[in-house]
Amino acid sequence: MSTTHEERAAVAQDVLPASTLVELIDAHLYMPFPFRRSPHETAVTAGVDEWLRATGLSDEPGVSAMICHTRPAELASYNSPDADPGVLQLVAHQIAYQFVFDDRAEEVGRHRPGQLLPMLGESIAILRDGAPPSTPLGAALSDLYRQVRARCTPAQAARWAWKSREYVHGLLYEAVAQTHPSPLRPGLCTSIRSLTAGVEPFHPLCEAAQPRELTSEELHHPVMRQLSRLSADAAVWIPDLFSAVKEQRSGEMINLALAYQRAHQCPLPVAVTLAIQQINRTIREFESLYAEIEPELSPSGVGYVEGMAGWIRGCYYWSRTVPRYADAAAPSLR
């Protein structure tokens, strides 16, 4: 994010005229992965509603309205169009859970950071020790973990729990950042964003969707690990573009586009364009590394990487129309 003054000026000149954020993003974002959706989306949508009722989460204040605005089954459908119905349902349950958990953590962490500790501590105890839950959120996580263990191999379930614990810890870092008196440095902002993205916990489900387990050599290959990071970053930075107006108004700190705006004191369209350039570089690096390693991969290894690419594609097409980011389509852009 070390953009020079001259580079920023050049970007400002190259920003295409756009009346909305969606138009600006569509004009500049590199998206090589075509739109796709699962034929099981309708059934999975009903399954999410049923699961939220069964766990009691739909009785929590504001959850039903939030789910209507975020459409977790739609995001799962766009991300994992080739997944079998069982895996797709599990992906949708996890997306729904993370939306509820993330929104609750954001609300509590912004106003009462100390009260976030019991919530996060319960999650870690469930994921690390299999402890019994004591809240509806904990009960939902415990049931989600049960579903993961039933569908995944022990090694995949262990990776899921590990990545999920990283996500939980990231929310604590975010709460600290939100209450910090001075603006965050861009590098620290993107570091926290990589944890709070919540994308990498889905990669073990990409594994589980394959006909065979990946070999240890495939899974732990340095290029494969880099592909995992690139996929997660690109997938979460894309929604950051569409949520920039909403999060600017609410005073959010952990957003790639807003990090550029704070760092360079530039108008939002320029900041968004700078963020898009970073995303484009990330996606192109993903493509290059995938082409490099693909000849060495088994069919399951190829499917696993395609699953990671699906998150980049899915987050883009979902973000364009989801009601949660409706501000991006508003005619005012500054």
Side-chain angles (χ1 to χ4, degrees), residues 106 110 177-180 243-255 258 262:
E106 181 180 302
R110 176 188 292 273
Q178 283 292 149
T179 58
H180 200 270
S243 66
V245 172
K246 176 179 77 71
E247 296 192 358
Q248 184 184 52
R249 290 171 180 166
S250 61
E252 290 297 320
M253 300 290 293
I254 311 303
N255 177 290
L258 298 185
R262 288 192 302 270

Side-chain angles (χ1 to χ4, degrees), residues 124 127-128 145 148 154-169 195 200-201 204:
I124 296 298
L127 293 166
R128 186 187 60 200
Y145 195 8
V148 169
Q156 290 165 353
R159 283 190 284 275
W160 181 90
W162 172 260
K163 292 297 185 183
S164 295
R165 293 200 299 271
E166 277 196 324
Y167 160 67
V168 171
H169 286 133
L195 291 172
E200 285 195 288

Side-chain angles (χ1 to χ4, degrees), residues 31 33 72 75-76 78-81 91-92 94-95 98-99 197-203 205-206 231-232 234-236 238-239 286 304-318:
M31 181 49 56
F33 311 117
L75 178 55
Y78 295 178
N79 288 338
S80 308
V91 170
Q94 184 171 336
I95 292 171
Q98 286 187 192
F99 279 147
V199 173
E200 285 195 288
F202 290 92
H203 289 172
L205 301 185
C206 293
S231 161
V236 74
I238 289 170
F286 181 93
Y304 176 54
V305 179
E306 291 291 341
M308 291 192 287
W311 273 86
I312 301 174
R313 174 193 62 234
C315 285
Y316 167 65
Y317 290 106
W318 170 81

Side-chain angles (χ1 to χ4, degrees), residues 15-275:
V15 173
L16 299 178
S19 60
T20 71
L21 203 56
V22 171
E23 289 182 7
L24 179 65
I25 296 165
D26 285 349
H28 291 276
L29 184 69
Y30 175 62
M31 181 49 56
F33 311 117
F35 173 76
R36 295 183 60 203
R37 72 193 309 167
S38 170
H40 309 295
E41 183 181 321
T42 299
V44 168
T45 300
V48 168
D49 292 340
E50 181 181 345
W51 184 70
L52 291 172
R53 286 193 298 269
T55 59
L57 284 185
S58 59
D59 296 329
E60 297 283 295
V63 167
S64 294
M66 184 273 290
I67 292 296
C68 288
H69 279 77
T70 55
R71 301 175 181 172
E74 181 179 283
L75 178 55
S77 169
Y78 295 178
N79 288 338
S80 308
D82 296 321
D84 66 66
V87 169
L88 186 66
Q89 191 70 69
L90 181 51
V91 170
H93 287 171
Q94 184 171 336
I95 292 171
Y97 166 78
Q98 286 187 192
F99 279 147
V100 177
F101 189 83
D102 189 84
D103 279 9
R104 183 76 53 80
E106 181 180 302
E107 178 185 355
V108 174
R110 176 188 292 273
H111 302 291
R112 304 176 299 279
Q115 293 185 24
L116 197 59
L117 296 177
M119 175 182 164
L120 303 186
E122 178 187 35
S123 299
I124 296 298
I126 290 168
L127 293 166
R128 186 187 60 200
D129 305 321
S134 58
T135 67
L137 266 176
L141 177 59
S142 184
D143 187 67
L144 189 61
Y145 195 8
R146 175 193 62 78
Q147 294 177 55
V148 169
R149 291 194 298 267
R151 183 60 178 80
C152 297
T153 68
Q156 290 165 353
R159 283 190 284 275
W160 181 90
W162 172 260
K163 292 297 185 183
S164 295
R165 293 200 299 271
E166 277 196 324
Y167 160 67
V168 171
H169 286 133
L171 295 174
L172 184 59
Y173 303 149
E174 181 178 44
V176 173
Q178 283 292 149
T179 58
H180 200 270
S182 58
L184 292 180
R185 289 179 288 107
L188 185 56
C189 177
T190 54
S191 177
I192 295 172
R193 191 70 181 105
S194 72
L195 291 172
T196 61
V199 173
E200 285 195 288
F202 290 92
H203 289 172
L205 301 185
C206 293
E207 292 181 56
Q210 306 313 312
R212 298 181 185 276
E213 279 196 85
L214 275 68
T215 66
S216 178
E217 290 77 11
E218 283 182 310
L219 193 61
H220 300 295
H221 193 288
V223 171
M224 192 71 90
R225 291 201 300 269
Q226 181 66 3
L227 286 170
S228 178
R229 288 295 326 129
L230 293 168
S231 161
D233 283 342
V236 74
W237 289 341
I238 289 170
D240 276 3
L241 304 174
F242 290 90
S243 66
V245 172
K246 176 179 77 71
E247 296 192 358
Q248 184 184 52
R249 290 171 180 166
S250 61
E252 290 297 320
M253 300 290 293
I254 311 303
N255 177 290
L256 180 66
L258 298 185
Y260 271 109
Q261 187 177 43
R262 288 192 302 270
H264 303 307
Q265 296 296 300
C266 57
L268 186 58
V270 175
V272 167
T273 305
L274 289 168

